[in-house]
Amino acid sequence: MPEQKRTARGVLGGFLGFIGLSVAAGLLVTAAITPALAVTGVTANNAISVFDGLPDYLKVGKTMEKTNIWATASDGQQTLLASFFDQNREEVTWEQVSQYAKDAAVAAEDPRFYTHGGIDVMGTTRAILSTYIGGDTQGGSSITQQYVKNVLVQQCEIDSGSQEELDACANEATTADGMEGAGRKLKEMRYAIGVEKDYSKDEILLGYLNIANFGARTYGIQAASTYYFGVNAADLNIEQAATLIAIVNYPSSLRIDLPESESNGAANGYAMTLDRRNYVIGKMLAEGKITQEQHDAARAVPVTPAINPPSTGCQTAGDSAYFCDYVTRIVKNDPVFGETPEDRAATLRRGGLQIYTTLDLDLQAASAAAINEYLPKSMESVRIGGAAVTVQPGTGRVLAMAQNKTYSNDSDKTSPGGEFTSVNYNTDYKYGGSSGFDVGSTFKSMILLDWLKNGHSLRESVSGEKRTFTRWTDSCSGNYTKSYTPVNYDGTSPGMITPIEASKRSVNTAFIAMAQKLDMCEIFQTAADMGVHRADGEDLQRHPATLLGSNEIAPLSLATAIAGIAAQGLSCTPVAIDKITGPDGEEIAAPKSQCTQAVTPEVANTAAFALETVFESGGTAARAAVPGAPLMGKTGTADEARHSWITGGTTEAVTSLWVGNVVGDSSMYDVRVKKGVSGFSAKFGIFSGILRSSIAKYGGERFAAPDDALIRAKQIRVPDVTGQSVEAAKTALSRAGFSTQVGSPVASRIGAGLVASTSPGAGASVSTGSTITIQPSTGTAPRAPEAPGEDQPQAGTVPNVVGKSPDAARSELAAAGFNNVKDACQAAPGGASLPEIVTAQNPGPGTETDPAGEVTITVLKQKC
């Protein structure tokens, strides 16, 4: 019971209040006969009319219980990550409480508990005489009355919106002095009788043991047992049970977790608690609950606490702390846990939830170890950061979430880029994360998806030539016409290239050329459908630079998007909770992943086919590849290498890894981390470490076969643009699906400046996206020989050799008088083993030109 001190004025006021409220005799009669009346239903006479008019129904609601967050260990057992509570309490059943604890409570607090009707008349009489006539203050409250008071106080704690409201409410429920104290006591007695009508004695005793305070924030017999002695309530021995019941009498003074206390600490053997404990043991003997031998043995044992502090807050979760924090943010953000943010925060601290998460502790440990192997927690010159998150394709389950920092909410420790932080780099700002990081070329995977959605193939030809781009279609906000000159990270200008090769080598210029053939609005809508969004909650910015990844995005978003490709286009929102049970053990609906078919399986499977090349020899992620399962994904490097990424994995697990600046713009090419490697190179070692663990545990199947129509380059005929203006020819060829370039003028009878021919020529079957060379006319007919034998240039017509083997093409050209033949090379898509054929020629078929002039044939080869 809470400690109360009474002054002389308080005693007098209490006595006068007692007289004024009713007469002492009437109160005693009321207390004496009401239990019987409650059983028989007989109405009391006027002597108890005041008492009878008080409310007799007390709603016994749920107590505050701590919420626990769990993860699955390698043996399938649940491991506690952290607990959250206002009151450290875990309710238990009747069978889960030691009989010694039950007996100790009854013997010491209310020996006639099982015989009275809620009020112990003898105890109450003694308390009144002692308190109001003379002597020490006496409680006189039955266990039922104490239970009532605790329930009222608990309700105050649940309902109060401020500390002031709580203090006022609790004071009303516990005041002992004056007229208010007498009135409160009378109301408490009436409630106790009502409780006895609705609950059995065992239920009331168990409720009391589950709700009682055992010092500080420790509530209930189970939490007290584990906290003070490291045992369950069912396993308490006599002296332990007696110690806890002793603490209940004066929780603030008799708690045994303050060894330095001068009045009740280790130095004096917790003397105050020991004295009260022995009193309880004596009462157990007097009431026949234990034998003399048990009594003597228990008294001989000193008070020996074995304190086990409860796991409170995510800092106790170690390497899993950031995942733990993410789970708490889900609870605080999801309306399923309460209507308001305050309600949801209260649910986390008071709801008694058991939250079973998706976290795989094996993979989590491997992820943390891989990051810590390469990245320091802090550096003097660079605010270095690194984070990795792994999700399961097709379900959205988050399997691991690690970063190179120590979790802390202590503002004295935390600083941007330092060793300690509460910011979760893997998640959005709304979920405890940062505002995100530039993702670089990782975003090209979204361009690739939209490219395939629009019917383009992996083996079309696009120009990777370094140049200035000036126009993009944007159906959402109007076409974009500002100039943009991207460069490739290696400074190359690769010329004609296929999207599959551009994906493997991450060619910026090629992807910008691909984007020019698409609708920029649709590209970003595809990204959004796959789960890509800015970490700060703002809309994705949309302009040419963002096509190469200048939007700031969190790793979890990228993992979600690439996992959608691995799952044949099924994009699933992240989910971190598998199951939730309430304090009664009943399952509560947990937030579910929302899965949508973001792109067709044909598109996703073909994109995966292209992204597999990224982990092959010559691919940008080749250094991170490990054996054991097929891999696919995409790398990314932000401008000036401020951030570096790999996102990818298997059909069973996809990881997104970021290494970069928390703040600042140091180049990851130049920053040296552990093992003497650069921040850029560190990502390969980290990623492969995570991959080895995920493949060992989850394996990985072959990715679904790509769509044949989206792999093969579509062959279309070159339209005849002879006689058109150069601009009109460009428009016609572009509409047909070709890129264009203007070659040197050629002699022709067609008007000067108009198109004399193209290469490849009209009617030739050429891959969609190929570049057609437009050859304007000089307006002058080719000169014919004036006489046989004269040394004059002769005009000839260039034959069509597109589609022939190089040798056959040369022979046909030689037969037509063209012996000056030069080769140009076009690499086969993906290095495929295809026969070498001529894919283009210049001058084009049908062109009248000097046979002594040069003819160039473009030959498709496995490698240039």
Side-chain angles (χ1 to χ4, degrees), residues 165-386:
E165 290 180 22
L166 174 58
D167 291 342
C169 182
N171 183 64
E172 182 180 344
T174 60
T175 185
D177 292 343
M179 184 179 294
E180 292 83 2
R184 195 272 305 168
K185 195 73 172 180
L186 188 60
K187 187 175 181 180
E188 178 187 283
M189 292 161 65
R190 186 73 165 118
Y191 274 142
I193 295 167
V195 168
E196 292 267 352
K197 292 179 184 179
D198 295 332
Y199 299 92
S200 70
K201 288 289 186 179
D202 287 353
E203 288 174 329
I204 294 169
L205 178 57
L206 178 64
Y208 169 70
L209 291 172
N210 272 326
I211 201 172
N213 176 239
F214 289 83
R217 291 201 293 168
T218 304
Y219 289 78
I221 192 73
Q222 173 65 15
S225 300
T226 56
Y227 175 56
Y228 287 118
F229 297 114
V231 300
N232 289 316
D235 301 321
L236 289 168
N237 59 31
I238 294 173
E239 58 270 20
Q240 290 170 337
T243 300
L244 295 184
I245 298 304
I247 292 173
V248 167
N249 201 252
Y250 297 100
S252 61
S253 299
L254 301 185
R255 55 190 291 192
I256 55 173
D257 58 347
L258 302 173
E260 303 302 321
S261 171
E262 293 183 5
S263 59
N264 191 55
N268 63 14
Y270 302 94
M272 294 170 62
T273 306
L274 178 64
D275 183 60
R276 180 67 185 178
R277 183 205 71 173
N278 289 342
Y279 164 80
V280 175
I281 294 173
K283 293 292 289 182
M284 293 176 74
L285 175 64
E287 296 298 324
K289 302 301 182 182
I290 58 175
T291 66
Q292 184 68 50
E293 183 180 0
Q294 289 174 312
H295 168 274
D296 296 343
R299 282 181 61 98
V301 178
V303 175
T304 51
I307 303 300
N308 292 272
S311 167
T312 174
C314 286
Q315 63 268 19
T316 65
D319 288 336
S320 303
Y322 293 100
F323 176 84
C324 170
D325 185 79
Y326 177 56
V327 173
T328 68
R329 305 287 178 160
I330 292 173
V331 173
K332 293 175 182 177
N333 284 323
D334 197 316
V336 74
F337 297 102
E339 293 184 2
T340 68
E342 293 76 18
D343 290 341
R344 297 190 283 271
T347 296
L348 181 66
R349 303 191 315 271
R350 304 174 175 180
L353 305 180
Q354 304 300 316
I355 300 176
Y356 301 96
T357 69
T358 60
L359 188 69
D360 181 319
L361 288 175
D362 291 335
L363 188 56
Q364 176 67 24
S367 299
I371 289 176
N372 293 331
E373 183 180 357
Y374 284 89
L375 297 182
K377 291 185 181 295
S378 65
M379 298 176 68
E380 289 186 8
S381 57
V382 181
R383 305 303 187 208
I384 191 73

Side-chain angles (χ1 to χ4, degrees), residues 349-701:
R349 303 191 315 271
R350 304 174 175 180
L353 305 180
Q354 304 300 316
I355 300 176
Y356 301 96
T357 69
T358 60
L359 188 69
D360 181 319
L361 288 175
D362 291 335
L363 188 56
Q364 176 67 24
S367 299
I371 289 176
N372 293 331
E373 183 180 357
Y374 284 89
L375 297 182
K377 291 185 181 295
S378 65
M379 298 176 68
E380 289 186 8
S381 57
V382 181
R383 305 303 187 208
I384 191 73
V389 60
T390 301
V391 301
Q392 187 176 59
T395 68
R397 297 177 73 247
V398 180
L399 302 176
M401 183 179 284
Q403 65 188 54
N404 72 319
K405 303 295 180 182
T406 301
Y407 182 86
S408 176
N409 282 305
D410 186 345
S411 59
D412 292 334
K413 290 183 177 180
T414 58
S415 63
E419 176 181 349
F420 300 93
T421 185
S422 62
V423 178
N424 187 348
Y425 303 141
N426 279 296
T427 60
D428 295 340
Y429 184 81
K430 181 180 179 181
Y431 288 91
S434 70
S435 59
F437 310 100
D438 293 359
V439 297
S441 294
T442 315
F443 194 80
K444 292 173 186 172
S445 57
M446 301 297 107
I447 301 176
L448 179 65
L449 285 174
D450 200 62
W451 173 265
L452 298 170
K453 278 177 62 177
N454 281 274
H456 294 285
S457 83
L458 293 181
R459 287 176 176 155
E460 290 182 26
S461 293
V462 295
S463 175
E465 180 184 359
K466 180 182 176 181
R467 60 196 187 279
T468 297
F469 296 82
T470 57
R471 184 179 179 84
W472 290 264
T473 300
D474 187 338
S475 62
C476 290
S477 56
N479 296 339
Y480 192 92
T481 56
K482 294 181 180 179
S483 62
Y484 180 57
T485 307
V487 295
N488 297 313
Y489 79 97
D490 57 1
T492 61
S493 180
M496 299 307 294
I497 191 172
T498 62
I500 192 170
E501 185 70 15
S503 298
K504 180 178 184 177
R505 294 163 50 191
S506 196
V507 180
N508 292 341
T509 48
F511 273 93
I512 293 298
M514 290 163 64
Q516 268 202 320
K517 296 176 180 290
L518 305 170
D519 183 337
M520 194 186 300
C521 180
E522 290 184 5
I523 293 173
F524 283 90
Q525 185 57 55
T526 296
D529 292 343
M530 295 298 294
V532 176
H533 55 264
R534 287 182 60 89
D536 59 10
E538 300 295 325
D539 292 337
L540 287 169
Q541 296 177 8
R542 196 170 64 248
H543 50 79
T546 59
L547 292 168
L548 297 180
S550 63
N551 272 301
E552 295 176 328
I553 297 167
L556 184 56
S557 295
L558 288 186
T560 297
I562 300 300
I565 297 176
Q568 302 191 55
L570 187 68
S571 179
C572 296
T573 58
V575 61
I577 300 172
D578 276 337
K579 186 176 78 169
I580 303 174
T581 58
D584 55 2
E586 293 295 319
E587 189 164 344
I588 298 172
K592 302 295 183 184
S593 176
Q594 302 297 317
C595 294
T596 56
Q597 194 67 44
V599 295
T600 65
E602 291 80 9
V603 166
N605 298 342
T606 306
F609 177 75
L611 296 179
E612 284 187 83
T613 65
V614 174
F615 283 90
E616 294 174 357
S617 177
T620 55
R623 292 166 60 188
V626 299
L631 304 172
M632 72 91 188
K634 188 71 188 73
T635 58
T637 303
D639 288 346
E640 285 79 47
R642 291 177 291 113
H643 307 291
S644 192
W645 297 77
I646 304 181
T647 303
T650 68
T651 57
E652 308 303 316
V654 166
T655 297
S656 184
L657 168 68
W658 159 78
V659 176
N661 294 272
V662 175
V663 293
D665 55 5
S666 298
S667 170
M668 290 299 107
Y669 290 128
D670 300 330
V671 172
R672 293 289 157 182
V673 291
K674 292 183 179 181
K675 298 190 172 186
V677 302
S678 68
F680 177 85
S681 294
K683 68 181 179 184
F684 300 113
I686 297 170
F687 198 83
S688 61
I690 298 172
L691 270 182
R692 278 190 289 270
S693 181
S694 69
I695 291 174
K697 186 154 190 177
Y698 295 99
E701 304 298 322

Side-chain angles (χ1 to χ4, degrees), residues 809-822 850-855:
R810 291 188 189 91
S811 296
E812 188 168 338
L813 287 167
F818 296 94
N819 292 303
N820 187 9
V821 179
K822 292 192 175 180
D850 182 359
E854 181 180 290
V855 176

